[in-house]
Amino acid sequence: MNHDILKEVILDQLEIIKNAEIIDRNYVFEKNLNYILVGLRRSGKSTLLYKIAKELVADGCDWSQIIYINFEDDRLLGFSVSDFNDIVGTAHELTDAKEIYYFFDEIQLVDGWEHFARRMADQKKRVYITGSNAKMLSSEMASTLGGRYIPKMIMPFSFIETLDYKNISYDENAMHTTSKAAKVRKACQEYIATGGLPEVQMLVNKREYIKAVYEKVLLRDIVEREEVKNKVALRMMIKKIAETVMSEISFNTLAGNVKATGNKTSTDSMIEYSSYAENAYLIFRTSNYVSKFADKEGTPRFYFYDNGLLSLFLVDKKSALLENTVAVFLKRKYEEEVYYFKSSQTGIDIDFYLPEQKTAIQVAYKLGDAEERETRSLFQLADKTKDIEKLLIVTNEEERIIEKNGIKIEVIPIHKFLLNI
């Protein structure tokens, strides 16, 4: 790789970092450790690297010791694993310092990157990596990397991060002040409708930006990366998944729904395509806690990592957006320990079950006539097992306690749920 081109890329990137607005996020990075940051495109991974680079400089590091490469730069088209050594060589041309800090953004675009990353770590180099594909955390990759990197999944803004970014107070005093509490509730409704992508927060035309992100994820991170041939079936599958948020769906049914639109596909293709969408951090799944393994894998409930992306496919579906908001919150906090609970034998059907937390959660936009239906499964579950300590119903606005036979269900509005109140 031409060293002059690499120098241009590195020096141009340093100017971007120097001028970047840094958004404080709820992620902590230990010094002297190497990290791999993965997550949905535009969720803030690069900005976190900028923050780390600026903190290094603030602690006395010279800018020449920061080697930042974004592999989406068009000047790096054709870059291959054999070119990585040129980055190291170029770095030593730019600085005589003993310690050099390497930042590799969207490195998954270079096949074989993990071997170079392992070698750098073995040589005690300080390396930070980002990528937009979950396969970077696969067991095969982990084996190659040999535990030399700490993985962190970076998600779009949480509601709290959104409030912090917008300078909206949400402490106890604020929540007891009518005008300030109203601002929190309003911000929550905006968050439910448009999601938490960092750059969305202050835009006027949010939908246009969100749609552009979706197209980039679809075309770059799924179609191009996975070499998908039937792009129409892929698009239709994602649309059908969006329409079934809140409900489990088998891959056979999903294939049938896509075929009904006049597009050829198969159950195997739906399994494959959905895994691609999961790897690109577009969607994630929950499985049925009480099902056998085959049924767990075959009838998931899908959710989107960002409400803004889900909203592209929905028209006036406030209930689905509310439930997706809860799902994202739980995914962020409990990762793979989030299930749904549905038993044909008992009739129990619960939106979210957290066995480690001994918690069951229903989501209802408003209770009203649905109160008996929403509470029935929670009361039944609490009656049949001693493993449950907390029962919740998350609503849009309602707040109260429902009690029956000594069992309490806490009804909590979404903004308080997201604030952990």
Side-chain angles (χ1 to χ4, degrees):
M1 185 75 195
N2 186 298
H3 284 211
D4 288 336
I5 293 176
L6 284 174
K7 287 177 184 177
E8 283 183 12
V9 171
I10 293 167
L11 294 175
D12 285 350
Q13 185 66 55
L14 290 182
E15 289 304 309
I16 293 173
I17 296 172
K18 290 175 184 178
N19 297 318
E21 177 190 356
I22 301 301
I23 302 168
D24 202 19
R25 303 283 312 266
N26 296 326
Y27 295 97
V28 177
F29 299 93
E30 298 285 347
K31 291 184 177 180
N32 303 316
L33 292 178
N34 295 336
Y35 286 90
I36 294 182
L37 280 56
V38 296
L40 175 68
R41 186 178 288 274
R42 309 310 299 171
S43 59
K45 301 184 297 295
S46 299
T47 304
L48 283 168
L49 292 194
Y50 295 173
K51 181 175 184 286
I52 294 170
K54 284 193 168 187
E55 287 175 348
L56 287 169
V57 172
D59 288 340
C61 171
D62 190 83
W63 279 108
S64 64
Q65 294 172 253
I66 305 295
I67 303 299
Y68 197 112
I69 301 287
N70 184 340
F71 288 97
E72 290 195 310
D73 193 304
D74 63 278
R75 289 169 289 187
L76 299 180
L77 289 174
F79 191 99
S80 68
V81 68
S82 62
D83 295 317
F84 275 118
N85 274 341
D86 289 306
I87 294 176
V88 179
T90 302
H92 285 285
E93 291 173 17
L94 290 170
T95 181
D96 294 325
K98 182 179 179 181
E99 188 79 77
I100 300 176
Y101 303 89
Y102 294 91
F103 297 81
F104 299 130
D105 208 347
E106 298 295 345
I107 199 174
Q108 84 283 348
L109 296 175
V110 184
D111 290 332
W113 65 270
E114 64 274 16
H115 301 288
F116 169 73
R118 167 67 181 264
R119 177 158 56 87
M120 292 287 280
D122 286 342
Q123 294 173 357
K124 307 302 180 184
K125 306 293 186 185
R126 290 283 300 281
V127 183
Y128 300 89
I129 289 170
T130 78
S132 302
N133 195 293
K135 286 192 287 189
M136 295 178 72
L137 303 183
S138 67
S139 56
E140 182 181 345
M141 289 290 188
S143 176
T144 302
L145 294 172
R148 269 62 169 182
Y149 291 82
I150 305 298
K152 275 189 183 288
M153 185 172 75
I154 309 303
M155 295 178 66
F157 276 175
S158 66
F159 179 51
I160 287 177
E161 288 176 315
T162 300
L163 293 177
D164 287 338
Y165 181 69
K166 294 181 176 180
N167 293 315
I168 297 175
S169 300
Y170 55 90
D171 59 19
E172 187 174 353
N173 287 338
M175 297 309 295
H176 285 92
T177 304
T178 302
S179 60
K180 292 181 178 180
K183 285 184 179 180
V184 171
R185 291 194 296 272
K186 181 182 178 182
C188 187
Q189 294 306 307
E190 291 175 354
Y191 179 76
I192 292 170
T194 59
L197 292 175
E199 293 180 48
V200 162
Q201 303 310 311
M202 292 301 179
L203 293 178
V204 175
N205 193 338
K206 300 178 189 294
R207 186 178 179 85
E208 186 177 82
Y209 175 86
I210 294 167
K211 189 173 181 180
V213 171
Y214 170 68
E215 290 297 326
K216 194 73 175 287
V217 172
L218 187 77
L219 298 176
R220 188 69 183 270
D221 299 334
I222 302 178
V223 172
E224 183 179 318
R225 183 69 183 166
E226 307 292 354
E227 299 181 347
V228 173
K229 298 295 187 292
N230 194 343
K231 290 185 284 187
V232 177
L234 171 66
R235 283 185 181 276
M236 192 54 61
M237 180 203 74
I238 293 170
K239 183 176 185 295
K240 294 301 178 182
I241 285 176
E243 291 172 353
T244 59
V245 163
M246 301 172 67
S247 303
E248 65 273 12
I249 185 168
S250 72
F251 291 105
N252 285 332
T253 301
L254 195 54
N257 290 346
V258 173
K259 286 178 184 177
T261 66
N263 294 286
K264 291 183 179 180
T265 192
S266 66
T267 299
D268 287 343
S269 291
M270 294 296 97
I271 294 172
E272 190 175 57
Y273 289 0
S274 64
S275 71
Y276 295 160
E278 288 181 87
N279 284 339
Y281 294 99
L282 180 62
I283 60 175
F284 63 93
R285 70 175 72 188
T286 63
S287 56
N288 190 357
Y289 186 76
V290 295
S291 289
K292 295 179 181 178
F293 179 78
D295 292 332
K296 282 184 192 293
E297 297 302 305
T299 56
R301 289 182 181 177
F302 285 109
Y303 297 96
F304 282 66
Y305 271 102
D306 185 74
N307 268 38
L309 294 167
L310 173 59
S311 69
L312 294 175
F313 305 95
L314 303 180
V315 178
D316 195 29
K317 288 211 174 176
K318 294 179 180 178
S319 295
L321 288 171
L322 182 68
E323 184 164 321
N324 199 83
T325 304
V326 173
V328 171
F329 174 88
L330 296 175
K331 177 70 172 176
R332 183 193 308 276
K333 195 167 184 179
Y334 303 112
E335 299 179 352
E336 305 305 317
E337 296 303 315
V338 183
Y339 301 86
Y340 70 92
F341 192 114
K342 188 170 184 177
S343 169
S344 57
Q345 292 181 337
T346 63
I348 295 174
D349 187 352
I350 292 172
D351 298 326
F352 299 104
Y353 180 61
L354 312 173
E356 296 294 320
Q357 307 302 315
K358 299 183 178 181
T359 299
I361 302 171
Q362 296 284 54
V363 182
Y365 192 81
K366 60 181 180 179
L367 288 175
D369 295 338
E371 181 173 320
E372 196 278 330
R373 183 183 71 245
E374 296 293 350
T375 58
R376 185 192 314 123
S377 288
L378 292 174
F379 281 131
Q380 280 184 291
L381 183 66
D383 187 55
K384 292 181 180 297
T385 178
K386 295 181 180 179
D387 292 333
I388 291 296
E389 295 179 354
K390 192 162 192 174
L391 304 174
L392 295 175
I393 299 178
V394 181
T395 68
N396 192 52
E397 295 182 343
E398 295 169 63
E399 181 174 15
R400 55 195 169 96
I401 298 294
I402 299 173
E403 188 170 359
K404 179 180 178 182
N405 298 328
I407 300 171
K408 292 183 179 181
I409 297 174
E410 182 181 357
V411 180
I412 182 171
I414 183 64
H415 70 280
K416 288 192 174 183
F417 177 79
L418 297 178
L419 292 173
N420 284 305
I421 298 177

